Amino acid sequence: MGILQHLKDRFRPDRVTLQLDDIQALILRARPEPYVGIHAMLHVDDAAGGRDLLRRLAPHIPAAADWTEELTAWTGVAISHAGLKALGVPEGSLASFPLSFRQGMAARAEQLRDAGENAPEQWEEAYRDNRCHIALTIFASDQARLDEATDRAMSEYHASSGVTLIGTHRFGADADAKNPFGFRDSVSQPTVAGAGVDPQPGQERAIAPGEFILGEDSETGAPLEIPQPDALGRNGSYVVLRKYDSRPGAFNDFVRGQANDEAAQELLAAKMFGRWRSGAPLILSPTRDDEELGADPARRNDFDFSGDKAGIVCPHGAHMRRLNPRGERLTILTDENIHRIIRRSSTFGPKWSADLTAADDGEDDRGIFFIFISARAFDTIEFLQQEWINRGNFIDLGKERDPVVGLHEEPGRFTVPAEPVRRRIDGVTTYNRLRGGEYMFMPSLTALRWIAAGSWN
Ligand code: HEM
């Protein structure tokens, strides 16, 4: 059963407490499998022209009201701080946003540990100098639907003036939703309380809605501060965009260099991610991949790490375990539930193959356009980049970094706990290089109309 059917079967309208008809669909709607899509980055040259484009686009941005129903294509829109300014949003409102958002992603490079080849000076043009003002994302279940939605958006763009399209990026994956490394992604997502779908027994509890939707109660019991006025802030969220070029050839080489037989290589690759290629978690299938488990949304998240404290089955340093310790006691105490994120990642480029070597990396444009949504998105990404991705202290691994997304200016180490002695593997390099990104605000539908109408005038 696919993820959409799984959610639809469990949706209970009487459990909904969120204002779903005001929240953008993209926040709650799961990515279809297979999926195709496009990201478009726009620059606002003229405030009135930019607002006119938003007014034209607004009717094409669906609400989350029917978020578990099959939809064939949907568009989401997000705006950077420089974008809000260029659209003429008044100073009082601009100042009510969090400082990190006001500064933009490039200015936060130090907090994000975006140095060396990941530094903003190395980024693609579309992300330089806070140029990316508006980001449009269209997800669709097939190419024809995508083309229709893209044509509609493009005709609104051509009908308006004062906005420049500075970049587009196509993406997609087959029904098995494999990323550039040949691993299924988007398997684990937080359950948002009040959205109408409860977690299943054995799964992690629902997270307070204010962690994702501005104006709702957060995990602390009260709403986070929201941008002012209320019409602008309420029911919105924040988005982190990060475009990565992937190096699956270098990853393949690393894994091949550590073992002679294919089964041992596959096990090591799974230990680095925490799941097998199919999406089956190591904790539920420790020695071999299990396609059926990986494809089953009802079972593949039904686990925690309480039976594997030593990390013998799933290493503490595995990407998935680092980024969601699932209730585990960490050396550096953190409330993990305020660091949960909704991921809407999109894979681009040719499919993964076992034959790829480092010499093939860079030949084609392949990677992940990583999108995550949270009402604390900027604090969370900066925390994750500093603590859980580019350090190892919280799990007693010193300077060891995330083996999938860590920045390795020097070749790094991956520790695989085992009996009688753990294995320490050196030579991990940067398998995902950052090419650009931005901090964005995803307005509610009310706020989109508020901005489009220049309601402050
Ligand atoms: C760009 C390269 C990346 C690749 C190839 C990648 C790959 C994966 C894969 C295969 C999984 C397991 C399946 C799933 O639940 O989706 C996963 C999980 C996850 N990743 Fe990534 N990821 C990348 C970047 C990131 C970044 C930058 C972050 C955070 C800042 C992140 C956060 C997460 C989280 C939170 C999970 C789910 C953990 C859980 O709830 O079990 N990933 N990733």
Side-chain angles (χ1 to χ4, degrees):
M1 184 200 296
I3 184 68
L4 288 170
Q5 187 63 42
H6 177 66
L7 291 167
K8 186 175 170 179
D9 289 351
R10 290 163 50 231
F11 181 70
R12 300 283 170 272
D14 55 313
R15 307 297 291 263
V16 173
T17 57
L18 303 180
Q19 290 168 301
L20 295 182
D21 53 1
D22 196 32
I23 296 167
Q24 286 197 41
L26 186 72
I27 299 182
L28 291 178
R29 181 170 292 281
R31 212 180 52 185
E33 294 170 355
Y35 67 90
V36 283
I38 189 165
H39 301 294
M41 272 66 74
L42 298 139
H43 182 83
V44 177
D45 310 306
D46 163 74
R51 294 200 298 266
D52 177 53
L53 177 64
L54 290 186
R55 189 183 52 77
R56 292 168 182 280
L57 289 174
H60 305 299
I61 311 293
D66 54 358
W67 68 280
T68 57
E69 295 294 322
E70 292 282 343
L71 237 197
T72 48
W74 60 97
T75 307
V77 59
I79 308 171
S80 69
H81 192 261
L84 291 171
K85 197 168 179 185
L87 288 161
V89 171
E91 195 47 48
S93 290
L94 292 173
S96 66
F97 283 90
L99 176 69
S100 45
F101 175 67
R102 295 189 331 246
Q103 294 180 328
M105 186 179 281
R108 305 291 293 178
E110 201 182 321
Q111 290 83 352
L112 288 161
R113 306 289 186 261
D114 290 339
E117 61 175 348
N118 282 0
E121 301 75 58
Q122 313 286 339
W123 290 0
E124 292 172 4
E125 280 297 315
Y127 306 99
R128 299 262 192 115
D129 308 320
N130 302 115
R131 293 180 66 214
C132 174
H133 287 167
I134 300 177
L136 280 185
T137 294
I138 307 177
F139 272 106
S141 50
D142 62 56
Q143 194 59 46
R145 267 50 184 250
L146 176 62
D147 291 345
E148 266 173 44
T150 309
D151 287 351
R152 274 199 301 272
M154 282 308 284
S155 65
E156 301 298 5
Y157 168 69
H158 288 304
S160 56
S161 57
V163 180
T164 310
L165 185 62
I166 54 173
T168 56
H169 210 84
R170 290 188 175 270
F171 55 84
D174 296 341
D176 55 9
K178 298 264 167 92
N179 68 18
F181 298 86
F183 282 74
R184 180 192 284 274
D185 72 9
S186 249
V187 177
S188 165
Q189 301 283 3
T191 303
V192 182
V197 172
D198 290 336
Q200 291 181 309
Q203 296 198 337
E204 298 170 280
R205 71 167 173 82
I207 306 295
E211 295 299 320
F212 306 102
I213 309 292
L214 292 164
E216 297 288 338
D217 281 348
S218 72
E219 284 284 317
T220 63
L224 305 178
E225 257 185 65
I226 72 170
Q228 291 303 313
D230 259 30
L232 174 62
R234 187 167 295 280
N235 290 329
S237 195
Y238 293 116
V239 184
V240 170
L241 299 184
R242 282 169 83 79
K243 184 191 169 201
Y244 290 94
D245 271 359
S246 298
R247 293 168 171 157
F251 182 85
N252 284 353
D253 284 351
F254 172 76
V255 169
R256 259 193 300 261
Q258 306 306 323
N260 292 328
D261 70 293
E262 202 185 312
Q265 291 166 7
E266 285 297 284
L267 179 61
L268 174 59
K271 296 237 179 210
M272 293 167 80
F273 278 97
R275 292 185 188 263
W276 299 92
R277 293 189 188 277
S278 71
L282 276 165
I283 292 290
L284 297 181
S285 185
T287 53
R288 56 165 192 89
D289 200 353
D290 178 341
E291 295 279 340
E292 228 172 88
L293 172 61
D296 185 350
R299 291 194 294 139
R300 65 192 181 194
N301 276 307
D302 190 358
F303 69 93
D304 61 24
F305 300 109
S306 56
D308 183 38
K309 292 212 165 64
I312 304 283
V313 177
C314 179
H316 303 109
H319 173 67
M320 179 196 79
R321 189 165 180 168
R322 280 175 172 263
L323 285 154
N324 183 5
R326 296 179 185 242
E328 184 171 21
R329 246 191 93 107
L330 303 174
T331 305
I332 297 172
L333 284 182
T334 321
D335 180 354
E336 64 186 73
N337 289 323
I338 66 168
H339 298 303
R340 299 300 305 279
I341 56 180
I342 295 174
R343 291 171 295 138
R344 297 279 176 254
S345 303
S346 47
T347 288
F348 57 87
K351 284 179 81 137
W352 175 83
S353 124
D355 308 329
L356 292 170
T357 69
D360 300 309
D361 292 338
E363 286 288 302
D364 292 300
D365 198 17
R366 61 169 96 217
I368 292 189
F369 204 101
F370 183 80
I371 301 182
F372 92 55
I373 300 164
S374 150
R376 302 181 200 260
F378 317 126
D379 284 352
T380 294
I381 185 72
E382 293 178 7
F383 167 83
L384 294 179
Q385 284 287 120
Q386 286 171 34
E387 299 295 332
W388 288 1
I389 290 179
N390 289 311
R391 286 177 78 166
N393 285 335
F394 73 108
I395 42 177
D396 292 330
L397 287 176
K399 290 189 179 149
E400 193 172 308
R401 297 180 170 208
D402 184 303
V404 175
V405 271
L407 169 68
H408 292 95
E409 292 190 87
E410 303 287 326
R413 168 174 287 181
F414 180 57
T415 303
V416 186
E419 298 291 358
V421 276
R422 65 181 166 200
R423 190 169 163 215
R424 287 177 158 152
I425 308 174
D426 290 322
V428 177
T429 55
T430 304
Y431 300 124
N432 287 286
R433 180 186 176 198
L434 186 69
R435 302 305 296 127
E438 192 49 282
Y439 285 170
M440 312 292 287
F441 170 60
M442 186 166 271
S444 68
L445 300 183
T446 302
L448 194 57
R449 290 189 296 267
W450 186 88
I451 301 168
S455 302
W456 53 86
N457 284 321

